[in-house]
Amino acid sequence: MTAKAKNDDRHQQILNAFQSAIGADNVRDNPATVNAYFGDFLPPKILGMSMPPEFVVLPNGTMEVQAIIKICNRYKIPFIPVGSNQWSLTGSPNRPHTVIIDCKRMGKIHEIDEKNMYAVVEPLCTLAQMQAEAYKRGLYIGSPEASATASCIGGHVFQGMWGVGYRLGVAYRNILGVEWVLPNGEILRTGSFSQDADNGFWGEGPGPDLRGMLRGYAGAMGGVGMVTKMAVKLHPYPGPKVWPVEGMIPNQTSVLPEDRFKWYMVKYESLEDAVNFMYEVGRAEIAGVIQKWPTVYYIMWWSNSCEQYWTEWQKRTFQDNVKNAVGVCLWGFSSGKQLEYEKRVLEDIIKETGGKPVKQEVQDMWVPRQANNWIRDTHGSRMMRASGTFLALRLQTDTLKYAIDHVRQGYEWVDKFSPPILDSDGPDWIGGYDFGHFGFGETDFPVEKTPEAIGDLMGKLLEMTKQDVQNGLENGIGPFLGGVYHAMAGPVFGYDRLLKGIKKAIDPNVVSNPPHNFPIEN
Amino acid sequence: MAKEMLLPKDPRYLKYPLEAPFDQEKARWIAFNCSRCSVCKWVNSWQVKSAKYARICPQHTKYLYDSHSGQGKCDLALAIIDGKMKWGDDPEIKDILFQCTMCGGCDAMDKNIRDAELVKMYRWMRAEYIKEMGPLPEHKPMLDSLKQYDNVWLQPRMKRNSWTKELKDLGIKDLNKEKAEVLLFAGCTYGLSEELKGTVVNIAKILKKVGVDFGTLGDKELCCGSPAEKTGNLAEYERLGTANIKKFNEMGVKIVLTPCAGCYGTMRVAYEELPEKMNFEVLHVTEYLERLTNDKKIKFKKEVPVTVTWHDPCHMGRMGRPYVPGKDLLGVYEEPRNILKSIPGVELVEMERIREYAWCCGGGGGAFSGFKDFAQWTARERIEEAKDTGASMIVTSCPWCETNLRAGGIGMEEKMEIVDLFDLMMQAL
Ligand code: SF4
Ligand code: SF4
């Protein structure tokens, strides 16, 4: 028997096993279907490092997911669970024989408990769907920088730096009960799901809080099995039951009711002054969102065509007006009076910290068109419009003050790496979370989507990351996601042993999206 | 001195190559720049009003695999163009390409986040597929009919005249012999369907009543070419489109009026790409009649007490204007709504997915003839959505939407009336 035929026999056996577990219609191995599961705007596909999966399977429910994962263990073939499939990040197969577990048949909202303010969702349910249902009930759930097209579950386990994280806690802190199939096929229920599979209101326990296994600094990347059900917190919302939108694609605007929401755009002389302002706002415990966006974010989200992007960028409309500006949205959570009170406090802080309003015409351009994206949807894919892709230099999650050093260091590298990095005006995104008790820094920029530019940049970023690791990661964590990066950077803090230990314990056959979230293969 | 700005080297990132011919290079540009954001699968997040009606793509909602979406078609185009796959490699390619209703839901959502023309890319893919694999057997009767009879319904040419016979006494002009400012272009489906031809008769009566100088082409009317265009049979489309433009120019009409959303989208958008230039304006009848209603030339006398919801036909709405990157996806959205609101007794309630983010009826792009079950499934989804508004009637103005919605509604427990706007207007006059 030739190697190929042997391989085909095995393929057929696996196919039969999947089909008998979840039905023939829900399993595909044909080239035209699997071809749609390995690409996005990120380097692996552009550089030819990802490949189509061998199978795509569509299970319905936890038991079918368990059956799939057991088959993967039996044949020792890797699987990758994917949510709403908004970008693939580490969801692109990087080795042969991969199985994509696509959750297209698992999009239910099982429950919305208005009184106890939580919802129980399946992995396909997007944040946009959950938001729409929450608004109707006077409740709220956030949106990550990427977009509300992201899966609600995915959005909670991955990073979770959403706008309202300032007030309501970053996404991963909003996870309650979780039902999840481990890489070895066991079903794990945490929080109150462990006592009652229909009741997700409580997050902790039993025993040590296992939710941390899912999140890391950017989620577990499918390396610890697949979450099939999650209870997530909802929050009070003073906005309308239907999101207000005026106009037509791609020029829509959105203005929230003035008696409950108010955006301020405040400009400072220096980044230090801007961050000081963010601290002061946090200290006063006011506002719903506070962000210092880089100028590239303004243009990325504001422009409605690539021509408009580069024309306006060359006019320096945003560079000259929003450098070191901070956007603050006040929310009258409990009443209009609360908003009035917060306005007075904020205006005092602006005065005391020497802030100046961003030019009114620039505010008028930006606020109705894009500011509320940080409440409902960032339309993150607009970031790719002007050059085909964007990348980040580093991320940093520590204090707001530390974020300043992080992005400053970032500028230098961006300068060094330009080209291939395109014009980006010292990109410095600083987000304030938990009332400013912690801060996030990220350095994002456009790069032209060509294998040459991306290949060149990836090499440079790898060198930078090696240096960073040698320096004890003083300036934040690198742009590489998941397992490989954890292996490089983990020893700096000693968390590699923890990740490795967990992975070994629950994934003995190394089937759950290797090498994430830690490489334990030889 | 300020540093020079580092801009992309490829000029297509500085300005979308709108004017470039739609060829393999352009298709590759669109496919290559797909970021797999999945925006093409969902209603724009700002517009999602419930979990139930959050989807935009009928094909992806029904068939679930990402290959059956805008994103998947980008991946397929890229694989084909880059030589990694051939049209004949997988029988599923046919389904991926042709189940799609060419409704443009994905296209509109995609345009919110990048500059691209997905539906045109699909059309290019279909045409390339056909070059290698031949037309779909399901579409063959339609194509043969176009070639033999210049209509899609296998009807003899002379039959095209039958609807005008009912208007004999009204003295409608025959524009093959006489001159008029306005040509009423019925289209194959309104003109030839026994069930639907009453609508175009009503339109003619309304136009006559308000004194519009118009005429028809009788049995000399040709298909607009839309079914051939949408199914990728571009040579046949070009033959019909070019013949129509030449004829309308020769006749010297100022306005070509059509009640069919399919004809409208094709004449208004696709004809712009043909070498033959148009010396006339293309209007949907609703656009024209709304002007007359606003000018009080049309006065409704009778009350029609009914709660209705308006279904936006894709090719009259989001696909009803040539694309200009960065500009609104304009279309005929307001006009029919304004007419409905002006009819005494009519209460208009809206579905969740409307205007540029409307859910398709399922009947377009050749799905009606090629993938009936899917087309009717899509229609049932729309009817469900309409029922949720509390309306008892879906009003629209496209013969394909009407036919497919009616077909989809068969067997549904709770019935929903599907009515053409002009028939409703007639009831109130
Ligand atoms: S919306 Fe456009 S860019 Fe995003 S996945 Fe769909 S086709 Fe690709
Ligand atoms: S044109 Fe319509 S059916 Fe086709 S992929 Fe786009 S949204 Fe889906």
Side-chain angles (χ1 to χ4, degrees), chain A residues 87 381, chain B residues 30-31 33-41 69-72 74 106 109-111 113-114 116 118 122:
Chain A
W87 308 336
S381 295
Chain B
I30 292 170
N33 281 303
C34 165
S35 66
R36 202 218 178 93
C37 61
S38 289
V39 158
C40 51
K41 299 162 192 166
S69 69
Q71 169 242 310
C74 286
C106 54
M109 301 306 111
D110 187 48
K111 282 170 178 155
I113 52 103
R114 67 166 176 150
L118 287 182
Y122 307 158

mmCIF file of all heavy atoms in Angstrom, chain A residues 87 381, chain B residues 30-31 33-41 69-72 74 106 109-111 113-114 116 118 122, ligand 1:
data_model
loop_
_atom_site.group_PDB
_atom_site.id
_atom_site.type_symbol
_atom_site.label_atom_id
_atom_site.label_comp_id
_atom_site.label_asym_id
_atom_site.label_seq_id
_atom_site.Cartn_x
_atom_site.Cartn_y
_atom_site.Cartn_z
ATOM 1 N N TRP A 87 -11.697 37.210 11.606
ATOM 2 C CA TRP A 87 -10.247 37.029 11.530
ATOM 3 C C TRP A 87 -9.928 35.642 12.090
ATOM 4 O O TRP A 87 -10.715 35.047 12.806
ATOM 5 C CB TRP A 87 -9.455 38.080 12.307
ATOM 6 C CG TRP A 87 -9.827 39.477 11.960
ATOM 7 C CD1 TRP A 87 -10.400 39.889 10.794
ATOM 8 C CD2 TRP A 87 -9.677 40.654 12.761
ATOM 9 N NE1 TRP A 87 -10.600 41.246 10.817
ATOM 10 C CE2 TRP A 87 -10.163 41.745 12.014
ATOM 11 C CE3 TRP A 87 -9.165 40.911 14.024
ATOM 12 C CZ2 TRP A 87 -10.168 43.041 12.484
ATOM 13 C CZ3 TRP A 87 -9.169 42.206 14.501
ATOM 14 C CH2 TRP A 87 -9.663 43.262 13.741
ATOM 15 N N SER A 381 -12.335 46.178 11.087
ATOM 16 C CA SER A 381 -11.711 45.833 9.817
ATOM 17 C C SER A 381 -11.431 47.049 8.956
ATOM 18 O O SER A 381 -10.763 46.947 7.937
ATOM 19 C CB SER A 381 -12.597 44.853 9.059
ATOM 20 O OG SER A 381 -12.628 43.685 9.822
ATOM 21 N N ILE B 30 -9.475 42.285 -5.033
ATOM 22 C CA ILE B 30 -10.566 42.219 -4.052
ATOM 23 C C ILE B 30 -10.401 40.978 -3.170
ATOM 24 O O ILE B 30 -10.495 41.053 -1.940
ATOM 25 C CB ILE B 30 -11.930 42.218 -4.781
ATOM 26 C CG1 ILE B 30 -12.147 43.581 -5.445
ATOM 27 C CG2 ILE B 30 -13.069 41.891 -3.820
ATOM 28 C CD1 ILE B 30 -13.320 43.639 -6.389
ATOM 29 N N ALA B 31 -10.123 39.846 -3.814
ATOM 30 C CA ALA B 31 -10.008 38.597 -3.057
ATOM 31 C C ALA B 31 -8.813 38.634 -2.108
ATOM 32 O O ALA B 31 -8.913 38.247 -0.940
ATOM 33 C CB ALA B 31 -9.874 37.430 -4.029
ATOM 34 N N ASN B 33 -7.383 41.118 -0.724
ATOM 35 C CA ASN B 33 -7.510 42.057 0.389
ATOM 36 C C ASN B 33 -8.660 41.732 1.333
ATOM 37 O O ASN B 33 -8.985 42.535 2.214
ATOM 38 C CB ASN B 33 -7.634 43.488 -0.133
ATOM 39 C CG ASN B 33 -6.279 44.014 -0.531
ATOM 40 O OD1 ASN B 33 -5.355 44.037 0.276
ATOM 41 N ND2 ASN B 33 -6.128 44.381 -1.793
ATOM 42 N N CYS B 34 -9.246 40.571 1.177
ATOM 43 C CA CYS B 34 -10.248 40.138 2.157
ATOM 44 C C CYS B 34 -9.514 39.867 3.466
ATOM 45 O O CYS B 34 -8.520 39.147 3.484
ATOM 46 C CB CYS B 34 -10.946 38.867 1.662
ATOM 47 S SG CYS B 34 -11.873 38.037 2.958
ATOM 48 N N SER B 35 -9.998 40.453 4.543
ATOM 49 C CA SER B 35 -9.301 40.286 5.831
ATOM 50 C C SER B 35 -9.935 39.193 6.675
ATOM 51 O O SER B 35 -9.545 38.989 7.803
ATOM 52 C CB SER B 35 -9.330 41.600 6.604
ATOM 53 O OG SER B 35 -10.657 41.916 6.953
ATOM 54 N N ARG B 36 -10.918 38.519 6.142
ATOM 55 C CA ARG B 36 -11.678 37.515 6.856
ATOM 56 C C ARG B 36 -12.279 38.105 8.145
ATOM 57 O O ARG B 36 -12.222 37.533 9.231
ATOM 58 C CB ARG B 36 -10.791 36.338 7.244
ATOM 59 C CG ARG B 36 -11.593 35.097 7.497
ATOM 60 C CD ARG B 36 -11.068 34.279 8.647
ATOM 61 N NE ARG B 36 -11.940 33.149 8.820
ATOM 62 C CZ ARG B 36 -11.723 31.978 8.258
ATOM 63 N NH1 ARG B 36 -10.655 31.766 7.573
ATOM 64 N NH2 ARG B 36 -12.596 31.036 8.437
ATOM 65 N N CYS B 37 -12.880 39.284 7.982
ATOM 66 C CA CYS B 37 -13.470 39.916 9.157
ATOM 67 C C CYS B 37 -14.866 39.367 9.407
ATOM 68 O O CYS B 37 -15.451 39.599 10.461
ATOM 69 C CB CYS B 37 -13.527 41.414 8.967
ATOM 70 S SG CYS B 37 -14.522 41.920 7.569
ATOM 71 N N SER B 38 -15.426 38.696 8.422
ATOM 72 C CA SER B 38 -16.764 38.097 8.515
ATOM 73 C C SER B 38 -17.896 39.120 8.560
ATOM 74 O O SER B 38 -19.048 38.779 8.814
ATOM 75 C CB SER B 38 -16.870 37.147 9.719
ATOM 76 O OG SER B 38 -16.105 35.987 9.466
ATOM 77 N N VAL B 39 -17.567 40.360 8.298
ATOM 78 C CA VAL B 39 -18.593 41.408 8.244
ATOM 79 C C VAL B 39 -19.638 41.089 7.173
ATOM 80 O O VAL B 39 -20.816 41.423 7.297
ATOM 81 C CB VAL B 39 -17.881 42.768 7.991
ATOM 82 C CG1 VAL B 39 -18.802 43.795 7.399
ATOM 83 C CG2 VAL B 39 -17.263 43.275 9.289
ATOM 84 N N CYS B 40 -19.204 40.380 6.114
ATOM 85 C CA CYS B 40 -20.118 40.072 5.012
ATOM 86 C C CYS B 40 -21.160 39.021 5.389
ATOM 87 O O CYS B 40 -22.033 38.703 4.580
ATOM 88 C CB CYS B 40 -19.337 39.602 3.798
ATOM 89 S SG CYS B 40 -18.162 38.287 4.169
ATOM 90 N N LYS B 41 -21.056 38.475 6.607
ATOM 91 C CA LYS B 41 -22.009 37.429 7.003
ATOM 92 C C LYS B 41 -23.122 37.994 7.898
ATOM 93 O O LYS B 41 -24.094 37.314 8.179
ATOM 94 C CB LYS B 41 -21.270 36.324 7.746
ATOM 95 C CG LYS B 41 -20.204 35.660 6.889
ATOM 96 C CD LYS B 41 -19.196 34.892 7.711
ATOM 97 C CE LYS B 41 -18.004 34.500 6.855
ATOM 98 N NZ LYS B 41 -16.858 34.038 7.609
ATOM 99 N N SER B 69 -19.910 31.939 1.611
ATOM 100 C CA SER B 69 -20.111 33.338 2.039
ATOM 101 C C SER B 69 -19.274 34.232 1.134
ATOM 102 O O SER B 69 -18.539 33.740 0.273
ATOM 103 C CB SER B 69 -19.619 33.503 3.478
ATOM 104 O OG SER B 69 -18.201 33.377 3.524
ATOM 105 N N GLY B 70 -19.355 35.522 1.372
ATOM 106 C CA GLY B 70 -18.499 36.453 0.618
ATOM 107 C C GLY B 70 -17.038 36.145 0.866
ATOM 108 O O GLY B 70 -16.227 36.096 -0.069
ATOM 109 N N GLN B 71 -16.709 35.954 2.128
ATOM 110 C CA GLN B 71 -15.314 35.636 2.478
ATOM 111 C C GLN B 71 -14.856 34.367 1.753
ATOM 112 O O GLN B 71 -13.763 34.319 1.179
ATOM 113 C CB GLN B 71 -15.197 35.458 3.990
ATOM 114 C CG GLN B 71 -13.876 34.868 4.455
ATOM 115 C CD GLN B 71 -14.067 33.536 5.168
ATOM 116 O OE1 GLN B 71 -14.896 33.437 6.064
ATOM 117 N NE2 GLN B 71 -13.315 32.536 4.787
ATOM 118 N N GLY B 72 -15.689 33.338 1.776
ATOM 119 C CA GLY B 72 -15.317 32.069 1.143
ATOM 120 C C GLY B 72 -15.128 32.221 -0.355
ATOM 121 O O GLY B 72 -14.242 31.598 -0.956
ATOM 122 N N CYS B 74 -14.104 34.925 -1.782
ATOM 123 C CA CYS B 74 -12.790 35.584 -1.954
ATOM 124 C C CYS B 74 -11.688 34.529 -1.904
ATOM 125 O O CYS B 74 -10.767 34.534 -2.730
ATOM 126 C CB CYS B 74 -12.548 36.622 -0.849
ATOM 127 S SG CYS B 74 -13.516 38.116 -1.063
ATOM 128 N N CYS B 106 -23.783 41.004 1.317
ATOM 129 C CA CYS B 106 -22.369 40.944 1.696
ATOM 130 C C CYS B 106 -21.627 42.153 1.132
ATOM 131 O O CYS B 106 -20.808 42.779 1.809
ATOM 132 C CB CYS B 106 -21.742 39.670 1.143
ATOM 133 S SG CYS B 106 -21.986 39.489 -0.639
ATOM 134 N N MET B 109 -22.233 45.316 3.148
ATOM 135 C CA MET B 109 -21.581 45.317 4.454
ATOM 136 C C MET B 109 -20.070 45.482 4.291
ATOM 137 O O MET B 109 -19.418 46.192 5.048
ATOM 138 C CB MET B 109 -21.880 44.012 5.215
ATOM 139 C CG MET B 109 -23.359 43.744 5.457
ATOM 140 S SD MET B 109 -24.219 45.096 6.283
ATOM 141 C CE MET B 109 -25.280 45.689 4.991
ATOM 142 N N ASP B 110 -19.545 44.816 3.276
ATOM 143 C CA ASP B 110 -18.109 44.895 2.979
ATOM 144 C C ASP B 110 -17.711 46.335 2.651
ATOM 145 O O ASP B 110 -16.650 46.809 3.059
ATOM 146 C CB ASP B 110 -17.853 43.963 1.785
ATOM 147 C CG ASP B 110 -16.387 43.789 1.437
ATOM 148 O OD1 ASP B 110 -15.600 43.541 2.361
ATOM 149 O OD2 ASP B 110 -16.039 43.865 0.253
ATOM 150 N N LYS B 111 -18.592 47.031 1.928
ATOM 151 C CA LYS B 111 -18.280 48.411 1.536
ATOM 152 C C LYS B 111 -18.231 49.344 2.736
ATOM 153 O O LYS B 111 -17.747 50.464 2.638
ATOM 154 C CB LYS B 111 -19.297 48.904 0.502
ATOM 155 C CG LYS B 111 -18.996 48.354 -0.890
ATOM 156 C CD LYS B 111 -20.105 48.622 -1.867
ATOM 157 C CE LYS B 111 -19.690 48.089 -3.249
ATOM 158 N NZ LYS B 111 -20.821 47.768 -4.099
ATOM 159 N N ILE B 113 -16.499 48.664 5.307
ATOM 160 C CA ILE B 113 -15.176 48.563 5.932
ATOM 161 C C ILE B 113 -14.025 48.585 4.930
ATOM 162 O O ILE B 113 -12.875 48.735 5.305
ATOM 163 C CB ILE B 113 -15.081 47.310 6.852
ATOM 164 C CG1 ILE B 113 -15.522 46.033 6.109
ATOM 165 C CG2 ILE B 113 -15.930 47.472 8.087
ATOM 166 C CD1 ILE B 113 -14.404 45.195 5.677
ATOM 167 N N ARG B 114 -14.311 48.415 3.659
ATOM 168 C CA ARG B 114 -13.231 48.522 2.677
ATOM 169 C C ARG B 114 -13.808 48.884 1.314
ATOM 170 O O ARG B 114 -15.018 48.856 1.107
ATOM 171 C CB ARG B 114 -12.432 47.218 2.584
ATOM 172 C CG ARG B 114 -13.216 46.044 2.013
ATOM 173 C CD ARG B 114 -12.272 44.918 1.643
ATOM 174 N NE ARG B 114 -12.970 43.740 1.192
ATOM 175 C CZ ARG B 114 -12.464 42.882 0.309
ATOM 176 N NH1 ARG B 114 -11.274 43.086 -0.209
ATOM 177 N NH2 ARG B 114 -13.137 41.816 -0.047
ATOM 178 N N ALA B 116 -14.410 47.781 -2.261
ATOM 179 C CA ALA B 116 -14.429 46.532 -3.026
ATOM 180 C C ALA B 116 -15.783 46.391 -3.713
ATOM 181 O O ALA B 116 -16.717 47.139 -3.406
ATOM 182 C CB ALA B 116 -14.190 45.340 -2.108
ATOM 183 N N LEU B 118 -17.861 43.121 -4.313
ATOM 184 C CA LEU B 118 -17.958 41.659 -4.225
ATOM 185 C C LEU B 118 -18.858 41.066 -5.310
ATOM 186 O O LEU B 118 -18.501 40.080 -5.940
ATOM 187 C CB LEU B 118 -18.468 41.237 -2.843
ATOM 188 C CG LEU B 118 -17.487 41.366 -1.675
ATOM 189 C CD1 LEU B 118 -18.148 40.862 -0.392
ATOM 190 C CD2 LEU B 118 -16.196 40.601 -1.915
ATOM 191 N N TYR B 122 -18.158 38.178 -8.015
ATOM 192 C CA TYR B 122 -18.891 36.915 -8.201
ATOM 193 C C TYR B 122 -19.288 36.738 -9.673
ATOM 194 O O TYR B 122 -19.253 35.652 -10.214
ATOM 195 C CB TYR B 122 -20.172 36.839 -7.363
ATOM 196 C CG TYR B 122 -20.020 37.113 -5.890
ATOM 197 C CD1 TYR B 122 -21.109 37.513 -5.121
ATOM 198 C CD2 TYR B 122 -18.794 36.974 -5.244
ATOM 199 C CE1 TYR B 122 -20.992 37.774 -3.766
ATOM 200 C CE2 TYR B 122 -18.670 37.235 -3.888
ATOM 201 C CZ TYR B 122 -19.767 37.642 -3.164
ATOM 202 O OH TYR B 122 -19.654 37.920 -1.832
HETATM 203 S S1 SF4 C 1 -16.505 41.644 4.701
HETATM 204 FE FE1 SF4 C 1 -15.069 41.746 3.013
HETATM 205 S S2 SF4 C 1 -13.074 41.707 3.974
HETATM 206 FE FE2 SF4 C 1 -14.532 40.970 5.487
HETATM 207 S S3 SF4 C 1 -14.555 38.745 5.245
HETATM 208 FE FE3 SF4 C 1 -16.174 39.535 3.976
HETATM 209 S S4 SF4 C 1 -15.261 39.801 1.953
HETATM 210 FE FE4 SF4 C 1 -13.611 39.597 3.403
#
